[in-house]
Amino acid sequence: MELTRLRGFQDLIGPSAETFTFIEDCARRCVERHCFREIRIPLVERIELYDRSTGETSDIVQKQMYKIERPPESDATGAMVLRPEGTPGVVRAYIEAGLDRREPEQRFFYSGPMLRYERPQKGRYRQFHQFGVEVFGRSDALCDAELLVMIEEFRRELGIRLTFQINSIGDALCRPGFREAVLNFGLKHRDELCEDCKQRLTRNPLRLLDCKIDAALVESAPRSIDYLCPGCRAHFDKVKDLLGAAGVEFVENPRLVRGLDYYTRTTFEVISADVGAQSTVIAGGRYDGLIEALGGAPVPGIGFAMGVERLALALETAGRAPKFEVDAAIISIGDAAARKAITVARAMRERGLRVEMLSPERRPKALLGRAAKIGARFAVIIGENEIQKGVVVLRDLRASSQAELPEAQVAETVLAARAG
Ligand code: HAM
């Protein structure tokens, strides 16, 4: 057996890890501007949590859960699983802390790995990372619109192109009628359906609508917006009106039903044209019945999660991935120079510069090679000669020019070059 990583799992080394952090930092800044507070939840939960939220008929619960091979806790009736998504855990934590009754209006964000046993391909992994948000206690359309406005702000900050798709799938009042219409449509066309959809038809007929294989047939399937009750219709119209007022461009996609069971009313997906077949980079929607279904108070909810791997792909394709820039490499020759080098490096780092001290055991020529290899903008060179003269040599590796200057001026000079 080779000790390689498992299929569908990724190592993120250097630049790819930095792109992740860049996305997460950007998302955090964005949600904090919208007053979201952080929540951290466990990686492991009881399987019943997902049965009762994500849904027993969803692909996630049906075939993608990672079960833990340990005897369950004495108070658990079923298995323990690794979280496949964040929403159920956040809702559970919110109810468990009593917030649903005490202070129902909350806005949370979270980030971290999720696990689903899926068929790996570009943009689809078994361990992937989500940055998600959940808002509890708000049923108004302004809240729905504001989440999309927030995504638009985030998109702009990343500098990538994304398309917003929205839909409304109705609520407990009008969804049953729509579900039945889709079921009847499916039964009528049963012979034309793919094997998966034939299976899904009785369990979860709405999934037929986002089947890629049956896409042509689905063109003529019933559309949720034609079945909305007046309340859902008015809500959806308001969301669209507010998005228009905020200047967020979107398209309506009547096929957008989402694969998880808890959604009501507004659903949305944000698509990138730059990442291949797994093009949904952000997805979410309203789930007004979920908190109650999990044993909490009747509090409405809405949220979304972004796939960090997919956003990283979009960023890389658009040439917007961050570059790690090293400001200076410090080269010292001799013991006295090494002592000076330590203080010079420290002064530079105190000014926020990125500085790598190179090994004094290498030859001067190899050291300049190393400085170029790490992409340093400058080399600071200190040898016997410089010690005697009380200066250092600052070599601009881009311009291939150099100057002698007092140690105290090095940080300032490098900072000025970086700004210019
Ligand atoms: P989801 O559509 O299952 O929704 O996942 C959200 C996002 O996570 C996807 O759009 C995608 O970017 C990413 N993602 C999902 N599966 C994978 C995978 N196997 N590999 C890479 N990326 C993946 C949810 O999880 C809901 N909890 C979202 C939500 C929050 N709805 C309301 N609140």
Side-chain angles (χ1 to χ4, degrees):
M1 183 190 68
E2 275 191 68
L3 294 175
T4 54
R5 65 195 152 86
L6 296 165
R7 214 161 94 79
F9 290 74
Q10 289 186 298
D11 298 315
L12 298 171
I13 299 177
S16 37
E18 284 146 21
T19 303
F20 258 58
T21 307
F22 176 77
I23 293 167
E24 287 164 351
D25 286 353
C26 181
R28 179 184 275 264
R29 278 196 305 277
C30 195
V31 301
E32 284 181 351
R33 285 200 299 268
H34 287 250
C35 303
F36 281 76
R37 306 295 295 271
E38 186 164 9
I39 183 167
R40 294 186 186 232
I41 50 163
L43 260 179
V44 179
E45 298 272 3
R46 300 165 200 270
I47 194 166
E48 298 98 309
L49 176 65
Y50 304 102
D51 289 347
R52 287 170 51 189
S53 54
T54 315
E56 280 174 300
T57 60
S58 65
D59 284 350
I60 293 181
V61 169
Q62 286 271 317
K63 46 190 181 194
Q64 297 173 354
M65 299 284 250
Y66 276 92
K67 295 196 176 125
I68 296 185
E69 263 207 32
R70 283 196 73 84
E73 301 296 330
S74 55
D75 63 339
T77 47
M80 295 182 287
V81 293
L82 298 179
R83 63 183 186 199
E85 57 149 335
T87 311
V90 174
V91 171
R92 180 203 48 68
Y94 165 78
I95 299 170
E96 205 166 330
L99 291 169
D100 57 328
R101 293 176 205 276
R102 224 173 45 240
E103 279 179 65
E105 198 174 324
Q106 299 284 344
R107 33 181 76 203
F108 291 121
F109 75 90
Y110 53 91
S111 108
M114 307 290 160
L115 290 109
R116 296 183 193 174
Y117 188 75
E118 293 204 73
R119 199 164 40 78
Q121 64 178 89
K122 182 180 171 195
R124 186 162 70 196
Y125 312 98
R126 290 181 172 168
Q127 175 176 299
F128 58 96
H129 295 74
Q130 284 188 344
F131 188 104
V133 309
E134 314 293 346
V135 181
F136 302 135
R138 290 276 304 264
S139 56
D140 53 288
L142 182 58
C143 182
D144 305 28
E146 223 203 330
L147 283 190
L148 287 152
V149 169
M150 186 167 79
I151 298 175
E152 169 60 13
E153 286 170 20
F154 170 71
R155 181 202 69 75
R156 267 182 190 231
E157 212 168 311
L158 287 184
I160 54 175
R161 289 197 354 202
L162 298 173
T163 310
F164 290 60
Q165 297 192 352
I166 66 168
N167 190 25
S168 174
I169 57 167
D171 61 8
L173 205 65
C174 54
R175 190 132 66 120
F178 171 56
R179 187 181 185 277
E180 193 173 322
V182 177
L183 175 61
N184 288 337
F185 173 85
L187 290 172
K188 196 164 135 207
H189 297 276
R190 199 170 192 288
D191 295 342
E192 300 154 64
L193 297 180
C194 73
E195 283 312 308
D196 262 358
C197 282
K198 274 186 191 143
Q199 297 266 317
R200 283 182 189 143
L201 200 53
T202 43
R203 276 194 274 118
N204 192 354
L206 296 189
R207 294 306 314 280
L208 172 71
L209 301 180
D210 61 6
C211 175
K212 295 221 161 62
I213 304 169
D214 294 328
L217 177 67
V218 165
E219 285 294 310
S220 57
R223 304 182 320 160
S224 57
I225 42 167
D226 297 329
Y227 289 79
L228 296 183
C229 60
C232 287
R233 176 165 302 282
H235 184 94
F236 192 42
D237 286 345
K238 244 187 227 162
V239 173
K240 289 187 287 183
D241 179 58
L242 288 164
L243 289 177
V248 176
E249 282 181 34
F250 61 89
V251 288
E252 277 186 65
N253 176 358
R255 312 283 164 228
L256 206 164
V257 289
R258 311 275 300 120
L260 322 176
D261 279 6
Y262 46 69
Y263 290 110
T264 53
R265 294 196 162 172
T266 316
T267 53
F268 53 88
E269 291 194 354
V270 180
I271 312 289
S272 164
D274 296 327
V275 298
Q278 300 304 316
S279 57
T280 305
V281 293
I282 303 173
R286 187 162 271 293
Y287 46 82
D288 290 343
L290 178 61
I291 295 164
E292 200 173 9
L294 289 179
V299 178
I302 181 169
F304 66 79
M306 30 209 204
V308 182
E309 282 78 0
R310 293 185 191 174
L311 283 166
L313 282 172
L315 227 64
E316 274 152 22
T317 314
R320 302 279 308 179
K323 290 184 183 60
F324 191 92
E325 273 160 8
V326 176
D327 294 303
I330 308 228
I331 297 174
S332 59
I333 302 146
D335 289 344
R339 300 184 75 230
K340 168 121 344 223
I342 279 191
T343 62
V344 172
R346 185 167 177 186
M348 293 178 83
R349 291 180 186 130
E350 271 169 7
R351 304 295 304 274
L353 292 167
R354 285 194 184 144
V355 174
E356 182 171 317
M357 290 236 265
L358 306 191
S359 164
E361 288 174 0
R362 291 202 191 173
R363 286 206 317 275
K365 204 163 166 220
L367 287 167
L368 279 173
R370 169 76 191 161
K373 186 156 184 198
I374 61 173
R377 169 78 202 272
F378 289 95
V380 178
I381 307 165
I382 311 169
E384 291 296 325
N385 205 8
E386 285 73 34
I387 299 275
Q388 267 166 25
K389 284 163 81 181
V391 295
V392 303
V393 170
L394 184 65
R395 185 172 174 80
D396 184 332
L397 295 172
R398 238 180 257 166
S400 295
S401 59
Q402 66 183 48
E404 282 182 353
L405 67 174
E407 174 189 336
Q409 283 175 22
V410 176
E412 213 54 59
T413 312
V414 173
L415 275 169
R418 193 163 78 167

